[in-house]
Amino acid sequence: MTPAHHPAEDLWLDFAAAQVDFATRTLLESHLAYCKSCRTLAADAAAAGALTLREDAPSEAPSSLLAGILARLKTPEQPRVGSEALPLPRALWSLLPDFSAATWRGALTPGFRFLQVLQPGGSGLFLVHMKAGRAFPRHDHTGLERSLILAGGLSTEDGVMEAGDFEQAEPGHVHGPVALPDEDCWLLASLEGGIVFQGWRGMLQRIAGQ
Ligand SMILES: [Zn+2]
């Protein structure tokens, strides 16, 4: 199925120019595994960037951005956390970061768990698992949030998101996603700030000083 929600075009220009951080690059590369039209955009952006950079040496080959991505697809290893193999699409195995040293964490709601991918600086990157039909409490963001659905889907105030869909939520955007009822939802999310819960969970969060 072709994704319905795509990264903005200027993000592909930043991607091609290596102007995005680790978390954003991982999200964008993962979207490419699902989306033919964005593969074309990314390749065009990379080629345009290569021409700009190489005006002095026009005989050089254009950027091999996509060739590098496709080469890595040839040697996949299924991502694991400890002894647990993650049920993620095979096309993403070699694109995703190393989760092996990460540990699952819970939240204030059953059927929801996440792990933080370790990285030096920049925004945090999280792998999130929601059981089918489970809701994540309504929350606000203190920074930019970008997410990519890897499997299953979510229903939010903004509509339904399914595998391959990319979403960017600006700071201050309040939402409470619910996993679709027939399949567990797996997603990658990057956060530049923290999240702030609404309602009683928000009160607990403020009391706990988190
Ligand atoms: Zn796309």
Side-chain angles (χ1 to χ4, degrees):
M1 193 175 65
T2 304
H5 302 277
H6 308 267
E9 282 194 32
D10 58 354
L11 261 184
W12 291 122
L13 295 174
D14 292 342
F15 176 74
Q19 294 298 308
V20 294
D21 63 15
F22 167 83
T24 304
R25 180 163 56 84
T26 303
L27 288 168
L28 292 173
E29 289 197 17
S30 296
H31 179 76
L32 291 181
Y34 294 88
C35 186
K36 187 177 178 184
S37 61
C38 285
R39 285 200 289 273
T40 302
L41 277 178
D44 287 349
L51 286 176
T52 304
L53 289 172
R54 295 172 181 168
E55 280 178 344
D56 296 337
S59 60
E60 280 190 50
S63 166
S64 59
L65 173 77
L66 285 180
I69 293 173
L70 293 174
R72 276 181 283 146
L73 288 177
K74 291 180 182 173
T75 54
E77 285 184 33
Q78 186 167 15
R80 307 183 76 83
V81 178
S83 60
E84 183 178 9
L86 303 180
L88 302 179
R90 187 181 177 89
L92 296 182
W93 289 2
S94 63
L95 296 182
L96 297 179
D98 182 8
F99 295 120
S100 58
T103 53
W104 289 109
R105 293 160 66 185
L108 297 173
T109 185
F112 179 98
R113 61 179 179 162
F114 66 96
L115 49 86
Q116 182 166 14
V117 180
L118 302 176
Q119 61 172 311
S123 55
L125 181 67
F126 301 86
L127 177 71
V128 177
H129 174 212
M130 294 173 71
K131 292 276 192 188
R134 297 292 186 160
F136 187 68
R138 283 177 64 78
H139 60 278
D140 188 1
H141 303 101
T142 58
L144 194 69
E145 180 194 72
R146 291 182 172 126
S147 56
L148 180 82
I149 307 293
L150 301 174
L154 284 179
S155 175
T156 76
E157 291 86 341
D158 305 317
V160 171
M161 304 270 297
E162 296 185 271
D165 280 338
F166 179 95
E167 183 187 53
Q168 180 164 310
E170 301 297 326
H173 182 81
V174 177
H175 62 177
V178 181
L180 296 181
D182 53 348
E183 189 180 351
D184 284 12
C185 180
W186 293 79
L187 63 97
L188 272 178
S190 70
L191 282 177
E192 290 184 351
I195 65 173
V196 181
F197 289 110
Q198 309 281 295
W200 64 265
R201 290 182 177 84
M203 199 183 307
L204 285 179
Q205 190 179 35
R206 287 189 290 277
I207 290 170
Q210 296 179 345

